[in-house]
Amino acid sequence: MFLQGFRGTVTDAPDFDASADAETLYNAMKGIGSDKEAILDLVTGRSNAQRQEIVQAYKSSYGKNLIDDLKYELTGKFERLIVSLMRPQAYHDAKEIHDGAGTDEKCLIEVLASRNNQQIHNLVEAYKDAYGSDIEEDVTGDTSGHFKKMLVVLLQALFAAGEEQWGTEESIFIMLLGNRSVNHLQMVFDKYQEIAEKPIEDSIKSELSGDFERLMLAVVQCIRSVPMYFAKRLYKSMKGLGTQDNTLIRIMICRSEIDMLDIRECFRMSYEKSLYNMIKEDTSGDYKRTLLALVHCLPWKTHHRHSNHVNDVVVTGSYIIWYCIKHIVWKCLIKQVFITIVSVMSSGTDEDVIINIVANRSNEQRQEIRQAFKSILGRDLMKDLKSELSKNLERLIIGLMLTPAEFDAKMMRKAMEGAGTDEHALIEILVTRSNGEIQAMNAAYRAGEAYSKSMEDAIQSDTSGRFSQILTSLVQVTSIPSYCTSTKQRDIIWAELADACNEDSDDMEIKFMSILCTRSFPHLRRVFQEFVRCSNKDIEQIIKKEMSGDVKQAMYGIVRSVKNQSNYFAERLYKAMKGMGTDDRALIRIMVSRSEVDLFNIRKEFKETHDCSLHEFIQVETCFYILHGD
């Protein structure tokens, strides 16, 4: 669910003066050559409506067509991008369809499947005005069959037409997707999956083909999430060899004032890299700088690159003021959050309010809330929350309010207190934390009022044998010499692993422990790869076959974490919830500790491994689902 309202990266510039901007562009283009930076900064710093006023002002002041002058002064992809930005959006859409008619069905599909009724209406009128012909006639003249019929439905803007019925000869997919509201179709898709036990996209792929299949899939994807649809289109336009610049330009222009913030987030969630960085890697020159400006416009950006010292000071000062205001606003927000928490706990606890506040703040921000609560009320927020909440919700909220090191230390203590030891928890925590995190955990453990001994001493007193030695070695955070990353050293290590596989069980465990517990993850990852390549053996299978008990679980956990830590956690989450009953401690521990680290990757691994989203699994198995954000 995305926020409503403005979600673009380009908005109206304050103190806008169309005549002044027209003069700036004129000066940037007069004489030999042109000031591309000035043109880039000004055009990307104005909304489309303001650009149209600049076009008119330019015509009035200089009697010339601004777009024609830009075409003359600029070249290549940069020229196409800047000129396209200067056109009204409907006319840009019309040009894309007109230029691609009969040759670029993907463009046709993208534009018509993703525009709302008003945008389609504007497109039809702009096409008629620009080319003197009817867009429906031109489009249908180059297409056929059900593909043509669905394009006609989209051009007629029937997406909110209600209950009109189609003739029985029409495709059932056209009838449903072309004749129902978006909200209605979203519910239909959910019900379809419940009945058919597969998403409607799978049925479209199996029943349809060619352009008609691609069109229907695009319609479904846009009904589900327009930002996600465009994120996928952008990724496909840049992946592999070469860039589909027409697609890239078209999407960046048409979404920059609508939902680029949401598209950026969908892109990052889906591909584990930012849209900004992918564009930066895949494009170059002024073309790249213009695209990046559309992705990431900043409120303090100056539109006059060659300013004098006074202007530079003003711009810098403006940024400092913005920065200070940002932090003042956050301090006020902390106070407001504090007041909200106090009010809901003093008049009977509103658990939903507490959940929403805690789950929507970073850990750093939660620590500021704790301090504000203490300084204003003189009370411990943690104790108040414990008294107001109960059972798993209390454990989850308190876990989120602790620092990561405090939470890890508490989880280690919980795993060892009372009768019996939670060996799985000890393994999970110690095999997945970095050296720095373990050092911080050790410090937090020693600082805890309830802890009478160091974490290392607690482990040694609560565990025994080789298992205790493994955990102690992990807690000690043995530093790795720099030579361990050399190719020669890796060859020695994998050879030692290979030799250990031929030794008896006890010697094998000692050798494995000396290697797995004292090398960095990147080093071990390369050692494992070399081990498989040279010995044709898999380290995981050797551990499963030759070791047993807690030692096997610890060694196996290290190897899994080295190879793919997100997959390791996905499997731990699955095991915590599958079958009768839920291991709530494990579920809370992982969700809290990974929510700001790699939960997006864990979600992806969970979905790929179990063909079910983590969101859905948690909803079925528990009564809380506030961290996953699917």
Side-chain angles (χ1 to χ4, degrees):
M1 180 67 69
F2 294 99
L3 297 175
Q4 298 299 311
F6 176 75
R7 297 292 294 162
T9 50
V10 176
T11 186
D12 287 342
D15 302 322
F16 172 66
D17 186 333
S19 297
D21 284 351
E23 183 180 0
T24 298
L25 289 175
Y26 178 79
N27 291 333
M29 292 186 286
K30 74 179 182 179
I32 300 174
S34 57
D35 187 343
K36 295 178 182 177
E37 284 291 321
I39 296 171
L40 183 162
D41 285 345
L42 191 144
V43 172
T44 58
R46 304 294 185 267
S47 67
N48 190 272
Q50 290 175 330
R51 294 182 204 124
Q52 305 318 308
E53 292 187 48
I54 295 170
V55 170
Q56 295 299 322
Y58 193 92
K59 181 74 172 179
S60 299
S61 299
Y62 306 106
K64 302 169 70 177
N65 186 304
L66 175 57
I67 290 180
D68 288 344
D69 282 2
L70 287 169
K71 285 181 179 180
Y72 179 80
E73 292 290 337
L74 307 178
T75 59
K77 290 176 281 191
F78 179 55
E79 176 261 319
R80 284 159 54 194
L81 179 54
I82 292 295
V83 168
S84 296
L85 282 166
M86 295 305 301
R87 292 193 181 97
Q89 182 57 53
Y91 282 82
H92 177 66
D93 282 349
K95 187 176 189 304
E96 289 292 288
I97 289 179
H98 182 268
D99 292 351
T103 59
D104 192 351
E105 285 77 13
K106 290 182 179 178
C107 166
L108 197 59
I109 290 169
E110 176 199 296
V111 173
L112 296 185
S114 64
R115 303 306 191 255
N116 61 33
N117 288 356
Q118 185 59 54
Q119 290 168 332
I120 292 289
H121 178 75
N122 294 342
L123 163 62
V124 171
E125 291 190 342
Y127 193 97
K128 182 74 172 179
D129 180 55
Y131 303 108
S133 59
D134 183 81
I135 187 172
E136 184 176 325
E137 291 179 0
D138 288 355
V139 166
T140 55
D142 289 310
T143 56
S144 61
H146 289 315
F147 179 54
K148 178 174 76 172
K149 293 176 184 176
M150 189 62 192
L151 291 175
V152 171
V153 168
L154 296 174
L155 281 168
Q156 292 174 352
L158 291 175
F159 262 118
E163 299 301 323
E164 289 184 30
Q165 297 298 317
W166 284 71
T168 56
E169 76 278 2
E170 299 293 341
S171 164
I172 187 66
F173 288 113
I174 295 178
M175 183 190 73
L176 287 175
L177 299 188
N179 196 33
R180 296 293 186 272
S181 70
V182 170
N183 290 337
H184 182 185
L185 284 169
Q186 288 171 342
M187 291 186 287
V188 168
F189 294 165
D190 292 340
K191 194 66 178 177
Y192 182 92
Q193 184 158 345
E194 179 184 325
I195 295 171
E197 297 183 346
K198 63 179 179 180
I200 193 169
E201 290 93 331
D202 288 354
S203 295
I204 290 174
K205 290 175 183 177
S206 63
E207 297 295 331
L208 308 178
S209 62
D211 291 332
F212 185 42
E213 175 196 347
R214 285 188 284 272
L215 175 58
M216 301 308 274
L217 285 174
V219 171
V220 170
Q221 289 166 8
C222 288
I223 288 169
R224 290 195 187 278
S225 172
V226 170
M228 184 61 76
Y229 169 74
F230 279 116
K232 291 177 180 178
R233 290 283 293 154
L234 283 168
Y235 180 75
K236 290 179 180 178
S237 74
M238 292 181 281
K239 74 171 184 177
L241 293 174
T243 302
Q244 298 172 21
D245 293 296
N246 286 342
T247 301
L248 182 56
I249 291 171
R250 182 172 61 247
I251 297 174
M252 295 303 298
I253 289 173
C254 76
R255 310 314 294 186
S256 61
E257 296 183 44
I258 300 174
D259 53 4
M260 186 56 70
L261 293 173
D262 295 329
I263 292 170
R264 278 168 29 181
E265 181 65 13
C266 288
F267 195 98
R268 183 178 63 83
M269 289 168 56
S270 299
Y271 305 110
E272 300 175 23
K273 69 185 305 182
S274 69
L275 175 60
Y276 185 95
N277 284 335
M278 191 159 187
I279 290 175
K280 189 175 181 180
E281 295 166 2
D282 211 62
T283 59
S284 61
D286 296 315
Y287 176 55
K288 174 177 75 173
R289 286 190 284 275
T290 307
L291 290 172
L292 293 180
L294 296 175
V295 173
H296 200 200
C297 278
L298 301 174
W300 59 84
K301 185 175 74 172
T302 176
H303 299 291
H304 301 282
R305 181 172 177 264
H306 305 295
S307 57
N308 58 32
H309 177 70
V310 174
N311 279 341
D312 288 340
V313 171
V314 170
V315 172
T316 304
S318 298
Y319 172 74
I320 293 172
I321 293 171
W322 173 85
Y323 184 86
C324 294
I325 290 173
K326 171 187 170 186
H327 283 267
I328 292 170
V329 168
W330 169 240
K331 293 298 182 184
C332 294
L333 182 58
I334 286 287
K335 182 176 180 181
Q336 185 58 48
V337 167
F338 155 76
I339 293 170
T340 303
I341 292 175
V342 172
S343 66
V344 300
M345 291 198 295
S346 61
S347 59
T349 305
D350 186 337
E351 294 180 346
D352 286 341
V353 172
I354 293 175
I355 289 171
N356 287 333
I357 289 174
V358 173
N360 287 290
R361 303 293 184 271
S362 69
N363 190 272
E364 182 180 356
Q365 291 170 338
R366 294 182 205 125
Q367 304 317 309
E368 291 190 54
I369 294 171
R370 286 174 66 181
Q371 293 173 8
F373 198 96
K374 183 72 172 179
S375 63
I376 297 174
L377 276 188
R379 285 157 49 185
D380 188 333
L381 175 58
M382 309 296 275
K383 291 180 180 179
D384 283 6
L385 287 170
K386 286 181 181 179
S387 68
E388 295 291 332
L389 306 175
S390 60
K391 297 183 179 178
N392 286 330
L393 179 60
E394 179 258 327
R395 289 156 59 188
L396 177 58
I397 294 297
I398 293 298
L400 287 166
M401 293 302 300
L402 294 168
T403 66
E406 289 173 339
F407 179 73
D408 281 345
K410 181 178 180 180
M411 291 298 99
M412 289 293 290
R413 183 176 67 84
K414 288 289 184 183
M416 293 183 283
E417 72 179 3
T421 303
D422 187 347
E423 292 85 3
H424 290 295
L426 296 178
I427 293 168
E428 175 200 295
I429 294 170
L430 293 179
V431 305
T432 58
R433 300 308 191 258
S434 67
N435 287 356
E437 289 169 335
I438 290 179
Q439 288 173 341
M441 189 197 318
N442 276 322
Y445 198 101
R446 286 193 298 271
E449 296 177 358
Y451 312 152
S452 59
K453 59 180 75 173
S454 71
M455 188 161 66
E456 184 177 336
D457 290 340
I459 288 172
Q460 291 174 348
S461 65
D462 206 70
T463 59
S464 60
R466 190 82 64 221
F467 180 60
S468 181
Q469 294 173 10
I470 293 171
L471 297 182
T472 301
S473 182
L474 292 170
V475 167
Q476 288 172 347
V477 192
T478 306
S479 59
I480 310 300
S482 59
Y483 64 78
C484 284
T485 57
S486 69
T487 302
K488 181 177 179 181
Q489 186 66 16
R490 288 202 303 273
D491 290 341
I492 294 172
I493 298 302
W494 82 254
E496 289 178 355
L497 277 177
D499 290 340
C501 295
N502 299 320
E503 297 177 1
D504 60 45
S505 178
D506 195 61
D507 290 338
M508 178 189 292
E509 290 177 359
I510 293 173
K511 180 60 70 175
F512 269 58
M513 184 180 74
S514 69
I515 295 172
L516 300 188
C517 298
T518 60
R519 265 65 181 183
S520 68
F521 276 18
H523 181 204
L524 286 175
R525 198 170 293 121
R526 291 190 288 269
V527 167
F528 293 164
Q529 291 168 352
E530 195 67 16
F531 181 86
V532 171
R533 187 181 71 82
C534 296
S535 69
N536 201 30
K537 295 178 181 178
D538 182 71
I539 198 78
E540 288 182 45
Q541 296 304 316
I542 292 172
I543 290 172
K544 286 182 178 180
K545 181 180 178 181
E546 302 295 336
M547 299 182 188
S548 62
D550 294 331
V551 172
K552 179 176 80 171
Q553 294 302 321
M555 294 293 190
Y556 186 70
I558 293 172
V559 172
R560 289 292 311 282
S561 190
V562 167
K563 286 186 172 181
N564 187 338
Q565 194 168 98
S566 297
N567 184 266
Y568 172 73
F569 277 118
E571 284 305 297
R572 292 285 297 148
L573 284 168
Y574 179 74
K575 290 177 181 178
M577 293 181 282
K578 75 171 185 178
M580 297 294 293
T582 301
D583 184 350
D584 295 304
R585 285 188 182 277
L587 183 57
I588 291 171
R589 183 174 62 247
I590 297 171
M591 296 299 290
V592 170
S593 66
R594 311 315 294 182
S595 60
E596 294 186 42
V597 182
D598 54 2
L599 194 52
F600 282 127
N601 297 340
I602 293 169
R603 281 170 23 182
K604 185 176 180 181
E605 291 289 342
F606 193 100
K607 177 73 172 178
E608 291 178 356
T609 305
H610 302 291
D611 199 28
C612 174
S613 74
L614 180 58
H615 177 281
E616 293 166 342
F617 214 84
I618 290 176
Q619 278 189 312
V620 171
E621 295 293 329
T622 72
C623 295
F624 72 88
Y625 43 96
I626 64 175
L627 292 177
H628 41 76
D630 273 46

